[in-house]
């Protein structure tokens, strides 16, 4: 399935199917929080959080694509990804993916 942030696909006719979304909420565990806190002090990247972010993004996009397939689409255009922290002390990560399901001819 083609997934793109653009609203059109050059040279292709598009039949619109509807809005599709996918969400994922993942929690970080105590050890990841501890090591991320150390990274905040000494600088550098937090590999554990980056892995969780990539996992959440994949889940949200996959869920969105499954909805599009169920609507008879072969692509999702105009995709927007949003990231939020939720929960007490921002202990959970939410990723949402939204786009328009289409059939490309």
């Amino acid at each position: 399935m083609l997934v793109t942030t653009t609203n059109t696909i050059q040279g292709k006719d598009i039949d619109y199917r509807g809005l599709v979304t996918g969400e994922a909420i993942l929690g970080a565990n105590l050890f990841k929080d501890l090591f991320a806190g150390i990274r905040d002090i000494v600088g550098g990247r937090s590999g554990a959080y980056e892995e969780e972010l990539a996992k959440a993004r994949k889940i949200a996009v996959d869920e969105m694509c499954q909805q599009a397939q169920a609507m008879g689409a072969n692509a999702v255009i105009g995709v927007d990804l949003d990231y939020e922290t939720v929960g007490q002390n921002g202990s959970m990560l939410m990723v949402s993916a939204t786009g328009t399901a289409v059939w490309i001819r």
Side-chain angles (χ1 to χ4, degrees):
M1 171 155 313
L2 176 65
V3 177
T4 181
T5 58
T6 62
N7 292 319
T8 61
I9 299 172
Q10 188 173 355
K12 300 291 184 180
D13 291 326
I14 296 174
D15 293 326
Y16 294 91
R17 304 297 165 120
L19 179 69
V20 288
T21 62
E23 297 85 24
I25 299 177
L26 297 178
N29 68 32
L30 176 64
F31 295 111
K32 289 179 184 175
D33 286 344
L34 175 65
F35 290 121
I38 292 169
R39 289 278 186 213
D40 285 345
I41 294 168
V42 298
R45 295 170 61 169
S46 173
Y49 275 124
E50 288 177 359
E51 287 175 21
E52 289 299 307
L53 179 61
K55 187 188 310 181
R57 183 175 49 244
K58 181 176 180 352
I59 290 168
V61 170
D62 287 350
E63 186 177 293
M64 179 186 66
C65 289
Q66 289 172 2
Q67 276 188 12
Q69 255 184 330
M71 297 170 79
N74 64 356
V76 181
I77 62 172
V79 173
D80 179 52
L81 296 171
D82 291 311
Y83 304 87
E84 294 285 335
T85 54
V86 294
Q88 191 175 24
N89 300 324
S91 60
M92 300 182 85
L93 171 68
M94 179 178 74
V95 178
S96 62
T98 306
T100 303
V102 298
W103 179 261
I104 301 172
R105 291 185 264 141

